[in-house]
Amino acid sequence: MPKLERSEWYDLARDMNWHFKYVKEEEVFPEELSNSYGIPTEAWWTWDEPYKVTYREYVRNQSVKDTSVYSVKAAIARSELFKHVDPGWKSAIIAHYGAIAIPEYLASIGEARMARFGRAAAWRNMALYGTLDETRHGQIQVFFPYGLLEHTPQFDWALKTFHTNEWGAIAARHLFDDMFTANDAVSTAIQLTFVFETGFTNLQFLGMAADAMHVGDVEFGALISSIQTDEARHAQQGEPTLKIFLQHGKKEEVQRLIDIMFWRSWRIFALLTGLSMDYYTPMEYRSMSFKEFMEEWIIKQFMDQFRDFGTDFPWYWDIFLDELDWYHHAIHLGVWFWRPTVWWNPDAGVSPEEREWLEAKYPGWNDNFGVWWDTITENVRRGEIEKTLPQTFPVVCNICQIPIVTPADPKKRHVAPYTLDYEGRRYQFCSEPCKWIFETNPARYAGHMSIIDRFLAGHIQPPTVEGALAYMGLTPDVMGKDATDYAWAFEQDGAESAAA
Ligand code: MN
Ligand code: MN
């Protein structure tokens, strides 16, 4: 290769756009794969990413990253470190791998679609790196848990989850298909790279990396940090795309894309990160509560950023803020109760000391949630474990696919699901935003069957808890059990004597 200065060839290589003579524009960029939102071709050519990289630099950087994270793994494999990690933390990473590893592979489909159908050459160039990034993230997050299989077969679910009909897998597939696997390139840049990656995953990975280091899980911390540096780079595809929408009077369109995916991202984060941060991570290692984390990273930093661009808070902002106090606590209670239906061991995380922490971080927690845990604790102490296990199923939302929960606070309570009749079928939703998402594009969402729809339609046989567990692919060696074998229920309780 001629020894040219980078500046002499870089712009030519990364940003060469041209008009087509032999084919039509719409043949090269079909709207289904690359929705232009009516913005003219040459307007897209102003697309400019803030941080630039050449292919040669990319390969060198990635090779350094892989070398360092794999050498941490090699060093850890020789130690007994993982055996001594807290059981709740193990559950957090088993849940993470099952929910995230294969979606990382799938994200490479979204990146590859932008690498072909992104509407500017510079954008396609960035997305090519993104495609390679996501392939790496898929591979590394299947390989690392493979090394931990001797500890529990639940690590096998890093690869397996997405190939099952486990309810969380259905929820994650529904979300990620909407966000990138079945999304056009332009909407993907807003919904995957701007909302999900800039807004949520970047921050989730920073938060989990910090907690991992506190807990002493150096391997997971190194892995997550390595992934996060890639995400920070390819997430930049969102901002230039957003700017072009706004410069061309498409605020309403881009706002809708943001509002849909912000809500959907919040739902999956509450389920995954909310439980990990406030219940599974050992209390002494928690750097922040989930709510504090959301306030600091999502509300302050991310929302400030996108208001600077001239977009508004989503219309459901008050609903979102209200949910920060209760939604993930309700989901935690449900996931723990329905623990055989997940591939990790939920950590109740409600020892007397932990309950004090929860009440301090979420005033009113005891009245809203502690009361249910009181009864569960009594049943556990009496040895009546069967009373703490499900005999039936919850109603599931037809958008987020997560069980429908309500706040215990009678002033806020909305008990019945939000419903919508569409083409002869009744759909159930957990919240007004999930219902609104369906209404923005019924043809996109109608017809999908939630796990409960499948149950009621007779797809799950026999129609019992056992039949459902088999349908979900859960075998006794992996189905969730209490993470600490109920140790929390027998811990010395200041809480009870204080109440007495
Ligand atoms: Mn990734
Ligand atoms: Mn990514």
Side-chain angles (χ1 to χ4, degrees), residues 104 111 134 197 231 234:
E104 297 263 24
E111 291 286 344
E134 301 299 9
E197 293 179 337
E231 296 296 331
H234 67 237

Side-chain angles (χ1 to χ4, degrees), residues 159-173:
L159 183 63
K160 187 174 177 181
T161 306
F162 256 55
H163 305 286
T164 71
N165 283 317
E166 193 277 339
W167 69 268
I170 295 173
R173 276 200 298 268

Side-chain angles (χ1 to χ4, degrees), residues 210-337:
D211 282 351
M213 291 309 185
H214 290 148
V215 170
D217 191 353
V218 183
E219 175 177 301
F220 191 74
L223 169 81
I224 288 289
S225 304
S226 163
I227 291 174
Q228 186 273 329
T229 58
D230 293 351
E231 296 296 331
R233 174 177 22 74
H234 67 237
Q236 298 181 92
Q237 293 170 84
E239 186 186 312
T241 309
L242 174 64
K243 282 183 180 158
I244 291 174
F245 269 89
L246 295 172
Q247 280 160 9
H248 294 274
K250 302 292 175 185
K251 181 179 167 183
E252 199 183 312
E253 290 81 350
V254 79
Q255 185 79 50
R256 193 183 65 246
L257 290 170
I258 291 170
D259 290 1
I260 290 171
M261 208 45 74
F262 186 92
W263 184 260
R264 300 211 63 180
S265 303
W266 155 241
R267 275 282 174 271
I268 206 84
F269 264 75
L271 173 59
L272 207 58
T273 315
L275 275 48
S276 290
M277 290 187 80
D278 282 355
Y279 292 93
Y280 298 177
T281 301
M283 208 179 71
E284 60 272 31
Y285 300 127
R286 290 175 201 163
S287 40
M288 287 183 185
S289 73
F290 178 60
K291 184 182 173 184
E292 288 163 348
F293 175 83
M294 291 295 294
E295 282 171 340
E296 173 68 24
W297 291 98
I298 309 291
I299 298 178
K300 220 189 276 171
Q301 306 207 12
F302 177 56
M303 297 310 289
D304 277 358
Q305 182 190 344
F306 96 54
R307 276 222 299 204
D308 289 346
F309 294 128
T311 47
D312 296 324
F313 282 3
W315 62 266
Y316 49 72
W317 199 245
D318 290 344
I319 300 175
F320 164 65
L321 292 180
D322 176 60
E323 283 200 359
L324 285 177
D325 284 322
W326 64 267
Y327 179 74
H328 72 291
H329 298 301
I331 291 293
H332 170 63
L333 191 54
V335 167
W336 186 86
F337 188 74

Side-chain angles (χ1 to χ4, degrees), residues 284-408:
E284 60 272 31
Y285 300 127
R286 290 175 201 163
S287 40
M288 287 183 185
S289 73
F290 178 60
K291 184 182 173 184
E292 288 163 348
F293 175 83
M294 291 295 294
E295 282 171 340
E296 173 68 24
W297 291 98
I298 309 291
I299 298 178
K300 220 189 276 171
Q301 306 207 12
F302 177 56
M303 297 310 289
D304 277 358
Q305 182 190 344
F306 96 54
R307 276 222 299 204
D308 289 346
F309 294 128
T311 47
D312 296 324
F313 282 3
W315 62 266
Y316 49 72
W317 199 245
D318 290 344
I319 300 175
F320 164 65
L321 292 180
D322 176 60
E323 283 200 359
L324 285 177
D325 284 322
W326 64 267
Y327 179 74
H328 72 291
H329 298 301
I331 291 293
H332 170 63
L333 191 54
V335 167
W336 186 86
F337 188 74
W338 271 274
R339 57 200 177 281
T341 71
V342 295
W343 65 88
W344 66 90
N345 295 334
D347 190 346
V350 289
S351 67
E353 210 187 350
E354 288 166 314
R355 291 179 58 148
E356 259 175 56
W357 183 89
L358 286 160
E359 181 64 30
K361 296 292 183 185
Y362 300 90
W365 183 91
N366 269 314
D367 289 341
N368 283 311
F369 300 98
V371 288
W372 309 109
W373 285 107
D374 288 341
T375 304
I376 291 172
T377 306
E378 275 169 39
N379 286 330
V380 170
R381 285 180 181 171
R382 281 198 223 104
E384 296 175 358
I385 300 297
E386 71 285 357
K387 289 188 179 166
T388 73
L389 284 162
Q391 293 182 345
T392 178
F393 294 103
V395 184
V396 163
C397 175
N398 279 119
I399 281 289
C400 68
Q401 311 294 321
I402 295 172
I404 298 178
V405 293
T406 61

Side-chain angles (χ1 to χ4, degrees), residues 9-254:
W9 58 268
Y10 186 63
D11 279 338
L12 182 65
R14 71 170 259 283
D15 197 22
M16 191 165 61
N17 295 293
W18 68 96
H19 289 289
F20 306 111
K21 268 200 287 194
Y22 303 107
V23 287
K24 294 195 192 98
E25 179 79 14
E26 57 270 28
E27 289 174 305
V28 183
F29 295 108
E31 288 285 321
E32 294 81 0
L33 289 161
S34 183
N35 188 342
S36 68
Y37 289 90
I39 297 168
T41 301
E42 285 178 40
W44 288 107
W45 294 356
T46 63
W47 197 100
D48 188 32
E49 74 279 22
Y51 171 76
K52 295 178 172 64
V53 65
T54 67
Y55 186 70
R56 186 194 290 201
E57 290 157 353
Y58 176 82
V59 170
R60 192 191 304 123
N61 291 344
Q62 297 307 94
S63 127
V64 169
K65 282 183 207 175
D66 262 2
T67 307
S68 100
V69 70
Y70 278 89
S71 60
V72 169
K73 182 185 177 354
I76 301 298
R78 289 190 294 269
S79 77
E80 294 285 278
L81 190 126
F82 191 80
K83 276 188 191 156
H84 305 294
V85 169
D86 177 87
W89 178 258
K90 286 179 188 165
S91 301
I93 70 167
I94 290 166
H96 169 95
Y97 281 129
I100 300 296
I102 298 304
E104 297 263 24
Y105 263 129
L106 294 175
S108 73
I109 296 174
E111 291 286 344
R113 191 173 296 119
M114 294 189 289
R116 165 60 183 83
F117 295 102
R119 286 180 170 265
W123 176 2
R124 295 192 291 272
N125 187 51
M126 280 295 291
L128 174 67
Y129 302 135
T131 309
L132 296 170
D133 289 339
E134 301 299 9
T135 306
R136 183 175 93 91
H137 303 170
Q139 289 173 342
I140 200 168
Q141 286 178 103
V142 170
F143 182 66
F144 275 49
Y146 173 76
L148 295 169
L149 267 176
E150 64 186 276
H151 298 285
T152 162
Q154 289 173 328
F155 279 111
D156 202 24
W157 277 57
L159 183 63
K160 187 174 177 181
T161 306
F162 256 55
H163 305 286
T164 71
N165 283 317
E166 193 277 339
W167 69 268
I170 295 173
R173 276 200 298 268
H174 193 286
L175 167 67
F176 293 130
D177 282 357
D178 197 16
M179 191 189 304
F180 48 78
T181 322
N183 205 3
D184 75 274
V186 176
S187 307
T188 299
I190 300 298
Q191 297 192 304
L192 167 63
T193 72
F194 184 68
V195 179
F196 191 70
E197 293 179 337
T198 313
F200 286 83
T201 44
N202 239 328
L203 310 174
Q204 135 107 355
F205 278 43
L206 287 172
M208 276 201 88
D211 282 351
M213 291 309 185
H214 290 148
V215 170
D217 191 353
V218 183
E219 175 177 301
F220 191 74
L223 169 81
I224 288 289
S225 304
S226 163
I227 291 174
Q228 186 273 329
T229 58
D230 293 351
E231 296 296 331
R233 174 177 22 74
H234 67 237
Q236 298 181 92
Q237 293 170 84
E239 186 186 312
T241 309
L242 174 64
K243 282 183 180 158
I244 291 174
F245 269 89
L246 295 172
Q247 280 160 9
H248 294 274
K250 302 292 175 185
K251 181 179 167 183
E252 199 183 312
E253 290 81 350
V254 79

